Amino acid sequence: MAMMRLRREDPRIVGPYRLHRRLGAGGMGVVYLGSDRRGQRVALKLIRAELAEDAEFRTRFAREISAASKIRGGCTARVVGSDIEADRPWLATAYVPGPSLYKRVGEEGPLPWPEAARIGAALADGLVKVHEAGVVHRDLKPSNILLSPKGPRIIDFGIAWSRGASTLTHVGTAVGSPGFLAPEQVRGAAVTPATDVFAFGATLAYALTGDSPFGSGASSEVMLYRVVHEEPDLSAVPPPLAPLVRACLAKEPMERPGAAALHERLTELAARGAALGGARSRAGAGAPPQASPQHADAQRAGAQRAGAPHVPPRRPHGQAATAPMPRPEAGAPVRERQQTPAPGRPAGPRDRQHTPVPGRPSGARRRLLRQRVVVFVTVTVGVALAIAAAQGCENRSNQGRGAGASPSPSASLGGVSVDGAQQSAAPFAAVAHGTADAGLGPAVGAVPSVDWPNRTYSDPAGGPAIRLRDGHSTAEGAQIALSTVLPARYRDAPAALVVLRRAEGAVLVDLVELFGFSGDTPVLLASRASVADPQAAAAWRIENGALIREERVSQTGAGSSTRYTVRGDGSMEESWPGAGISGGTGG
């Protein structure tokens, strides 16, 4: 998703969220990338100041919040906060990384039909969830679909309709995007879930061809006329998906298939496409050729002409009757069936999937399993013994306190390292849950020497372990580098603050980690992921019991500060006492 720097007029804090970048702007307002005090990223939509006084617009915005909040499941961006009574109402949803379908097709071209089928199956399942919540989106289009690593997400319910809600439109007025509007929307008739199915078909056609099925470049009036009176141009849609897309674009709502039927059919097509791709790969590696899809179609067509019955697709229990899913056109590949090879027939690629590899010892798999069990038991016993020993130390320390002995902070520090990843040990948890009167401070005396650029760190954002070599991550994907190490003191014991910086596209994230020591071994005490300003230079220091990050943009001189403190429960808290200093024009 494209990001832009904050402008001079943009706010820096809205509600409990700090704003970092612009994600986009539209007729309703501006969408920002923000984060809360726990470091969770959000997409925050802030309506325009000139629209805030419009009572009808506030009603429309409140309806968007209501519609988006009703939907359950991972098909949409989850609503995490809103304020309809603010001077400028806003809505915050979980941030969804990834480009829109519109941008993906625009930059990389039309999608292969198996990939389009896979994305379409997930979107159809999302529409089922949307319609089950009693909501009709009314503006489904490629730019309102985000392709996240966890699957496509439907966003922007700004003109959504739900049962019992006023449409806020008049007869003959179309609200939505030309080329993706259903005919009933153009005519000003009532919208139903079938309205979203029409837009779904147009969106799927765009993903497969790079253009609307009703053309582009014409005026809105011409586009709306084509939607109502002309048939869509599907000549460039691949044959396996053309019948399904044509059924979605039927002029009459009752002739369109339901979202559940679309999900079922597209799931089958996606599986077929994956199987065909695998078959082609195996054939290229020397596998025997298979019968062509055209030959299979000809056989099926002959069986139908001979009087074989046509079995309609299964409809989920309780779903209203809708138009049946069409059969594939001539030339479309049919689904392969798994069957036992007839005597004398060479085994096909599917038949050979479970054939043992020649020359491999039959007991190799059993020996490997035994080795894994031995390693697992050994590691488990070692961890249990370490924890038991640390708890014994803590009990002795507590007994000493009861007898009047002074507490020993170092006696409560312990940790277990598994494959180099630091884990907070249970003994330290007892200290961390106490009061935070000691806090952080500059180092006093020597701090154990650690090879910080060449070790493994845990990810405060919940990702896999981070392995550094010479200060840089070794894994593919987001680039992570060691940013700074500050010797420190925490609860009267030696400590170190380590900051890693991760580049996630145009977004920079600082991974702040506080370590104590058990002997010379670092023990992770607290950590936090925090979004940073990519345009600013950052300086770190320890001050007044907290870690301070100062960010300043060299071109404008503007900057902000972020304060990190360790709470009594052992978590790290982020606050922004100096947001927007020096005029607040940076971003």
Side-chain angles (χ1 to χ4, degrees):
M1 179 178 294
M3 298 189 187
M4 298 162 284
R5 295 178 56 187
L6 296 177
R7 299 177 182 175
R8 182 181 299 272
E9 66 271 15
D10 289 329
R12 267 43 183 181
I13 295 178
V14 174
Y17 302 102
R18 180 184 182 185
L19 306 185
H20 304 286
R21 308 286 282 176
R22 274 183 169 232
L23 295 177
M28 291 183 68
V30 183
V31 181
Y32 299 95
L33 172 67
S35 62
D36 62 13
R37 293 185 180 276
R38 296 177 299 172
Q40 300 298 316
R41 290 184 291 175
V42 301
L44 188 143
K45 178 188 288 187
L46 183 67
I47 73 167
R48 297 185 182 279
E50 60 269 22
L51 297 175
E53 303 301 324
D54 189 334
E56 182 175 308
F57 193 89
R58 280 183 178 264
T59 302
R60 173 177 167 182
F61 190 65
R63 186 177 62 187
E64 174 181 4
I65 296 173
S66 174
S69 301
K70 290 179 181 179
I71 302 165
R72 296 294 179 263
C75 61
T76 62
R78 177 174 53 90
V79 174
V80 297
S82 63
D83 189 351
I84 192 62
E85 302 298 332
D87 292 340
R88 294 180 62 184
W90 54 268
L91 165 66
T93 61
Y95 173 68
V96 178
S100 68
L101 179 60
Y102 177 81
K103 182 178 181 182
R104 164 76 184 280
V105 174
E107 292 181 351
E108 302 181 19
L111 306 182
W113 75 262
E115 183 180 3
R118 177 181 58 80
I119 293 174
L123 285 176
D125 186 52
L127 281 183
V128 172
K129 303 294 193 301
V130 171
H131 296 160
E132 285 177 347
V135 175
V136 179
H137 191 284
R138 296 210 306 167
D139 196 22
L140 193 68
K141 57 184 178 180
S143 59
N144 282 341
I145 296 169
L146 299 182
L147 303 179
S148 79
K150 297 182 179 180
R153 297 291 185 267
I154 303 172
I155 62 170
D156 199 350
F157 287 78
I159 61 172
W161 172 90
S162 56
R163 295 188 186 97
S166 168
T167 62
L168 295 183
T169 58
H170 306 285
V171 175
T173 301
V175 178
S177 304
F180 299 93
L181 286 172
E184 60 268 26
Q185 287 178 283
V186 179
R187 293 193 297 263
V191 297
T192 66
T195 302
D196 285 344
V197 171
F198 186 95
F200 174 87
T203 298
L204 197 58
Y206 174 86
L208 292 163
T209 66
D211 198 3
S212 164
F214 298 97
S216 59
S219 64
S220 298
E221 292 76 10
V222 172
M223 295 289 292
L224 297 178
Y225 178 87
R226 292 174 181 171
V227 167
V228 175
H229 299 287
E230 296 181 4
E231 292 300 316
D233 179 8
L234 304 180
S235 58
V237 175
L241 292 179
L244 182 144
V245 173
R246 181 172 288 105
C248 292
L249 297 177
K251 302 298 184 186
E252 295 300 325
M254 293 302 296
E255 297 178 1
R256 302 169 198 153
L262 288 171
H263 169 64
E264 182 177 1
R265 180 62 176 154
L266 284 167
T267 300
E268 294 176 357
L269 288 167
R272 179 196 303 173
L276 289 175
R280 292 191 188 97
S281 298
R282 290 191 295 271
Q290 299 186 10
S292 67
Q294 290 78 5
H295 179 65
D297 260 347
Q299 287 184 332
R300 187 186 62 192
Q304 292 181 354
R305 286 194 297 270
H310 169 67
V311 181
R314 176 176 62 85
R315 186 174 73 247
H317 176 70
Q319 179 182 322
T322 55
M325 291 302 303
R327 306 300 300 173
E329 292 180 344
V334 298
R335 180 173 54 184
E336 300 175 2
R337 298 179 181 272
Q338 297 186 18
Q339 56 185 359
T340 304
R345 180 178 66 83
R350 286 181 179 270
D351 303 322
R352 294 200 304 273
Q353 284 182 350
H354 303 291
T355 303
V357 178
R360 179 176 177 176
S362 59
R365 182 177 295 276
R366 289 193 296 273
R367 287 196 297 272
L368 179 61
L369 179 60
R370 285 197 297 270
Q371 292 172 359
R372 290 179 177 176
V373 170
V374 170
V375 171
F376 173 77
V377 172
T378 303
V379 173
T380 302
V381 171
V383 171
L385 292 175
I387 293 177
Q391 288 177 339
C393 292
E394 181 187 19
N395 291 336
R396 289 192 296 272
S397 176
N398 289 337
Q399 292 173 359
R401 292 191 188 98
S406 60
S408 173
S410 61
S412 297
L413 293 179
V416 180
S417 177
V418 180
D419 190 25
Q422 294 75 37
Q423 308 289 334
S424 297
F428 183 77
V431 177
H433 281 76
T435 60
D437 51 352
L440 284 170
V444 177
V447 174
S449 177
V450 176
D451 187 8
W452 300 107
N454 295 285
R455 66 189 328 272
T456 301
Y457 298 85
S458 62
D459 186 353
I466 302 168
R467 292 177 173 82
L468 295 188
R469 294 293 179 270
D470 297 326
H472 297 273
S473 58
T474 59
E476 297 181 355
Q479 297 300 308
I480 305 176
L482 181 64
S483 179
T484 187
V485 177
L486 294 178
R489 196 164 187 81
Y490 180 66
R491 294 187 174 276
D492 295 328
L497 284 157
V498 180
V499 181
L500 311 177
R501 174 155 286 194
R502 173 166 54 202
E504 301 178 359
V507 180
L508 295 182
V509 178
D510 285 327
L511 310 178
V512 184
E513 306 195 4
L514 171 64
F515 290 91
F517 295 94
S518 177
D520 291 336
T521 303
V523 179
L524 180 63
L525 307 182
S527 60
R528 184 176 186 85
S530 174
V531 177
D533 186 348
Q535 303 296 328
W540 300 83
R541 68 179 187 276
I542 299 174
E543 180 179 282
N544 297 329
L547 175 66
I548 306 296
R549 177 182 66 186
E550 288 283 357
E551 294 178 294
R552 189 167 299 277
V553 180
S554 58
Q555 293 86 346
T556 63
S560 63
S561 66
T562 307
R563 178 184 177 90
Y564 302 89
T565 54
V566 182
R567 295 168 56 91
D569 60 3
S571 62
M572 188 174 289
E573 183 179 23
E574 175 183 3
S575 58
W576 316 293
I581 63 176
S582 300
T585 61

